[in-house]
Amino acid sequence: MAEHTDTAWCPPEPRELPALREHLAEYLTSFAAHLFTSAVIRERRGTLRPIGDPDRGAEVMLADEYQRLHQAQLFYVTSDITPLVHHAARNLQDRWDIEPQDLPALTGFMLFPEPLGTYVREDGKTVSIVAVSWGETSLISHPDGGIWLTFWSITDFAAVIAKFRAVGFPAAEATRLAHAQNAELTWDNEIYMPWGASEAVVPDEPGGRPLDPTKLAAAKTTIDWMRVVHAGWIFCQPNGFTEVTEEHLPRTLRKRSARAGHSTDPVRVLSVSQKAPSRPARTSEPSGRTVGVRFPVAPFLRRQAYGPNHSLRRWKVVSGHWRGPADAPVRIGKKVNLIDAPPPGTGRKS
């Protein structure tokens, strides 16, 4: 859906995420956002689009996203844990089966300082996806319910400024207009996921296709992004490798957010745990080599049985241990194992 790409991504700090959300929500109600979204629908870009008049479609899509965004619980995935999330995502494949209890919040907005995904546009420019919002939607009806996910890319203000300059605006005015008419992030693409869906519908051609509300609706690129988001959700669960801390909103911003109807809950910051291991870490190997970094050994994801007669399953992070000095630099390796064992007495789900 985006027409912008990034030049230099300067991610906000966790304490700045509420203000970013506030600005995004305000942008969604602007005339500039309506014009952009209407043009996107008219040009048949994106994955999910209302049928009918593009102007009316833009209105309902923006209003729908605004409701999700202003109610969202905010999550911030720090740079140190992003590689671990990416490595776990590669092993998730396309086994979704996501239910409401698998989400860290039913309505959320999660920002990644390092891109959760990228793609190259037709003009050769790389677009970086750095955030995702999710929640219920009023645009798609499914008897069992589901969630809509919106992916956000970095707005390329340099490109927008260049467009204003090309039609005669002075540099200062072009810069002012670019920032006045755009938010820091741009709505790029979207996914609809009915609860429990394990099969994705992916169009073979640009321009979308009739929506089947019983199946996960995604594009080829967004499937990979969905894996990273799914892994991020999993790592929000309590485990020995990560920790989730809370960044409370400043008092002034909390009051302003409350007046605007936004969620005022603290930002949940997901990072690599810096807690000392329960037992002393070994600093040397049998060969006598000294380990000068701290790294996780054998973390993996498992679909753990739970519920009546252990008939249900959900993803869980199963911790290994840390190796190396507690105060050494953290290094994340490239191997994350995946165990997908069926519950006792049942066969593997297809």
Side-chain angles (χ1 to χ4, degrees):
M1 191 169 181
E3 66 176 12
H4 306 145
T5 183
D6 60 295
T7 50
W9 171 228
C10 296
E13 297 294 328
R15 67 178 181 274
E16 298 171 322
L17 192 53
L20 173 65
R21 184 266 301 278
E22 183 177 315
H23 193 192
L24 281 179
E26 180 182 354
Y27 166 74
L28 293 176
T29 65
S30 69
F31 182 61
H34 183 273
L35 285 179
F36 172 72
T37 307
S38 178
V40 165
I41 296 173
R42 189 174 289 106
E43 295 166 12
R44 300 179 61 81
R45 290 186 286 158
T47 300
L48 305 173
R49 296 178 308 280
I51 298 173
D53 177 60
D55 289 333
R56 175 56 182 163
E59 181 180 338
V60 297
M61 286 187 74
L62 291 170
D64 197 55
E65 179 59 34
Y66 179 87
Q67 289 300 315
R68 285 187 293 273
L69 198 57
H70 91 93
Q71 297 173 359
Q73 167 68 60
L74 302 179
F75 295 86
Y76 190 102
V77 182
T78 57
S79 297
D80 62 351
I81 201 172
T82 299
L84 187 57
V85 173
H86 275 281
H87 298 150
R90 297 187 187 114
N91 291 290
L92 284 173
Q93 301 176 358
D94 295 336
R95 300 184 61 83
W96 312 112
D97 301 325
I98 295 174
E99 299 289 351
Q101 63 270 19
D102 298 321
L103 275 61
L106 286 177
T107 308
F109 178 85
M110 181 177 282
L111 184 131
F112 292 72
E114 303 295 331
L116 69 92
T118 61
Y119 67 93
V120 178
R121 287 205 321 246
E122 292 82 355
D123 60 6
K125 294 184 178 180
T126 299
V127 178
S128 294
I129 307 300
V130 295
V132 60
S133 54
W134 67 87
E136 294 181 343
T137 177
S138 61
L139 304 182
I140 302 172
S141 177
H142 182 266
D144 296 328
I147 57 169
W148 177 295
L149 295 93
T150 298
F151 296 98
W152 300 85
S153 61
I154 303 166
T155 301
D156 183 0
F157 285 105
V160 181
I161 292 170
K163 290 182 179 179
F164 282 117
R165 294 282 286 148
V167 295
F169 283 94
E173 182 65 8
T175 300
R176 186 191 69 79
L177 288 172
H179 286 272
Q181 297 185 10
N182 294 273
E184 295 87 343
L185 303 179
T186 298
W187 183 337
D188 187 281
N189 214 322
E190 56 280 333
I191 279 179
Y192 174 71
M193 175 183 293
W195 298 124
S198 57
E199 180 181 359
V201 178
V202 180
D204 294 327
E205 300 178 358
R209 70 275 173 254
L211 175 66
D212 181 350
T214 66
K215 297 180 180 179
L216 189 155
K220 292 180 179 179
T221 51
T222 58
I223 285 291
D224 290 335
W225 307 344
M226 183 65 225
R227 293 190 188 100
V228 179
V229 173
H230 191 188
W233 289 344
I234 295 169
F235 276 100
C236 285
Q237 301 172 7
N239 65 85
F241 281 99
T242 63
E243 63 180 354
V244 179
T245 57
E246 292 187 345
E247 182 80 29
H248 291 268
L249 279 66
R251 185 175 182 178
T252 302
L253 179 58
R254 186 168 64 250
K255 289 183 176 180
R256 190 173 69 195
S257 295
R259 286 196 299 268
H262 301 316
S263 168
T264 59
D265 291 338
V267 179
R268 297 181 185 175
V269 183
L270 180 65
S271 60
V272 174
S273 175
Q274 298 298 321
K275 294 180 180 178
S278 57
R279 58 183 180 180
R282 292 180 297 172
T283 58
S284 62
E285 299 181 353
S287 63
R289 287 192 294 125
T290 299
V291 178
V293 296
R294 185 170 180 250
F295 60 93
V297 176
F300 61 90
L301 303 179
R302 180 174 65 199
R303 287 176 65 83
Q304 180 167 304
Y306 76 103
N309 300 318
H310 297 282
S311 59
L312 305 175
R313 286 191 292 172
R314 61 186 169 197
W315 289 105
K316 180 180 180 180
V317 180
V318 180
S319 301
H321 63 276
W322 285 100
R323 178 130 190 226
D327 59 350
V330 171
R331 185 192 72 190
I332 302 297
K334 293 187 176 181
K335 183 177 181 181
V336 177
N337 299 316
L338 173 71
I339 294 180
D340 183 10
T346 65
R348 181 178 293 274
K349 293 176 69 176
S350 58

